Amino acid sequence: MIRLKYVIEAMRRKEEQEKLPVLRMEIDYELLTLYEAMQDEDKIKIIKTKERLLQLTRQLQKIENDVLL
């Protein structure tokens, strides 16, 4: 039973590791969107993009922390 727990945990960590490149690409895209919004002085888009970036970075940090444990 204990071995199964470790196997499941290892699989979960592997799945999270596979999400990292996708999250990083999403962050890059949102940074580009933020840059464009700043160039256009679109305050609403700036706020929305910053919120999305915050969500993505929190997800990234959580996954990175979980993987390291």
Side-chain angles (χ1 to χ4, degrees):
M1 187 69 165
I2 294 173
R3 288 183 187 170
L4 180 61
K5 179 181 175 182
Y6 288 117
V7 169
I8 292 171
E9 184 65 25
M11 289 174 59
R12 186 186 62 77
R13 285 185 181 160
K14 184 175 182 193
E15 287 174 1
E16 287 181 345
Q17 281 180 323
E18 292 171 354
K19 291 179 185 177
L20 286 174
V22 175
L23 267 175
R24 288 187 178 114
M25 285 176 30
E26 287 184 67
I27 289 171
D28 288 344
Y29 175 79
E30 291 299 330
L31 287 169
L32 177 62
T33 303
L34 178 60
Y35 175 77
E36 291 172 350
M38 291 170 68
Q39 294 294 316
D40 296 339
E41 298 180 10
D42 185 341
K43 294 180 182 186
I44 294 173
K45 194 169 189 176
I46 290 170
I47 292 168
K48 288 181 179 181
T49 305
K50 283 183 177 182
E51 289 173 358
R52 178 72 175 136
L53 275 167
L54 186 58
Q55 292 173 348
L56 291 170
T57 54
R58 284 182 180 154
Q59 286 178 9
L60 181 66
Q61 289 172 340
K62 181 185 180 306
I63 290 173
E64 287 177 337
N65 288 338
D66 289 348
V67 170
L68 292 176
L69 295 177

